[in-house]
């Protein structure tokens, strides 16, 4: 499992909902709603980022394959599919040729993802992705900012 391995002893500090979701051997599903804001519509469209809006249905499915995970986020009709794996002590999230490397910090409130670098294949990209996930016993909230493209905030709860 990817997140228990990446976070090591800090994984036990996470709120119950996040620990259970990230330690499910077959992955997991969650659903909720999101608010999406595009900073630059053209870049958002080019990156496949969802359109701006409020109360957008949000579905999350994580499929595990050993220490790799496929993350499928569906914002209304827009699907963002990424692959995650460990690269040294960092999380590598890839979508096609775009690669983003994160350092993850965990505590009793949730996780904070700080992008360390981004690249298009091996060409460095000049943007950052920052994300926080705050959880409790039964659900969590996400706040993600993708450089000059946009951001989204949402609330999710595990789904059967």
């Amino acid at each position: 499992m990817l997140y228990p391995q990446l976070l090591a002893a800090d994984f036990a500090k996470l709120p119950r909902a996040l620990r259970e979701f990230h330690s499910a051997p077959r992955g997991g599903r969650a659903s909720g709603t999101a608010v999406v804001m595009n900073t630059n519509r053209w870049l958002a469209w080019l990156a496949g980022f969802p359109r701006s809006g409020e109360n957008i249905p949000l579905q999350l499915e994580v499929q595990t394959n050993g220490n790799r995970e496929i993350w499928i986020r569906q914002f209304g009709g827009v699907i963002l599919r990424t692959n995650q794996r460990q690269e040294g002590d960092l999380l590598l999230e890839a979508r096609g040729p775009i690669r983003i490397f994160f350092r993850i910090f965990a505590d009793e409130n949730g996780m904070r993802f700080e992008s360390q670098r981004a690249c298009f294949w091996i060409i460095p990209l000049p943007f950052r992705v920052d994300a926080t996930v705050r959880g409790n016993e039964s659900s969590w909230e996400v706040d993600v900012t993708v450089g000059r493209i946009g951001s989204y905030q949402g609330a999710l709860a595990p789904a059967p």
Side-chain angles (χ1 to χ4, degrees), residues 30-38 44 47-61 71-82 93 95 142-146 149-156:
S31 61
T33 60
V35 174
V36 177
M37 294 175 48
N38 294 154
F49 203 74
R51 290 184 180 182
S52 293
E54 295 185 21
N55 293 318
I56 298 170
L58 174 58
Q59 303 292 321
L60 170 64
E61 180 180 354
W71 281 62
I72 304 162
R73 301 164 185 91
Q74 185 171 345
F75 296 84
V78 176
I79 296 174
L80 292 176
R81 180 188 204 106
T82 62
E93 186 161 21
R95 182 164 188 247
V142 298
D143 186 350
V144 179
T145 301
V146 182
I149 294 172
S151 64
Y152 64 89
Q153 296 80 38
L156 291 158

Side-chain angles (χ1 to χ4, degrees), residues 10 15 31 36 45 53 55 61 75 79 85-86 113 117 121 123 127 130 132 138 141 145 150:
D10 286 344
S31 61
V36 177
W45 174 81
N55 293 318
E61 180 180 354
F75 296 84
I79 296 174
R85 66 181 169 89
Q86 186 168 355
F113 296 70
R117 66 185 183 279
W121 278 301
I123 302 166
F127 75 87
D130 293 302
T132 57
S138 60
E141 295 178 350
T145 301

Side-chain angles (χ1 to χ4, degrees), residues 1-129:
M1 286 176 269
L2 180 60
Y3 282 78
Q5 184 175 326
L6 268 170
L7 295 171
D10 286 344
F11 186 78
K13 296 177 184 177
L14 291 174
R16 189 178 105 214
L18 293 172
R19 277 194 327 270
E20 289 178 358
F21 188 80
H22 288 290
S23 62
R26 288 183 167 64
R29 299 173 61 108
S31 61
T33 60
V35 174
V36 177
M37 294 175 48
N38 294 154
T39 305
N40 180 310
R41 275 195 246 178
W42 185 82
L43 283 176
W45 174 81
L46 188 63
F49 203 74
R51 290 184 180 182
S52 293
E54 295 185 21
N55 293 318
I56 298 170
L58 174 58
Q59 303 292 321
L60 170 64
E61 180 180 354
V62 176
Q63 301 168 354
T64 62
N65 182 3
N67 286 329
R68 294 174 183 254
E69 296 182 352
I70 300 168
W71 281 62
I72 304 162
R73 301 164 185 91
Q74 185 171 345
F75 296 84
V78 176
I79 296 174
L80 292 176
R81 180 188 204 106
T82 62
N83 295 293
Q84 295 184 357
R85 66 181 169 89
Q86 186 168 355
E87 183 78 20
D89 61 348
L90 301 177
L91 171 70
L92 166 58
E93 186 161 21
R95 182 164 188 247
I98 297 173
R99 313 254 185 279
I100 304 169
F101 296 83
F102 294 95
R103 185 164 313 284
I104 306 174
F105 302 92
D107 62 26
E108 61 280 347
N109 296 313
M111 294 181 282
R112 183 170 47 93
F113 296 70
E114 286 185 2
S115 63
Q116 302 298 297
R117 66 185 183 279
C119 54
F120 182 81
W121 278 301
I122 61 170
I123 302 166
L125 292 174
F127 75 87
R128 293 184 49 86
V129 177

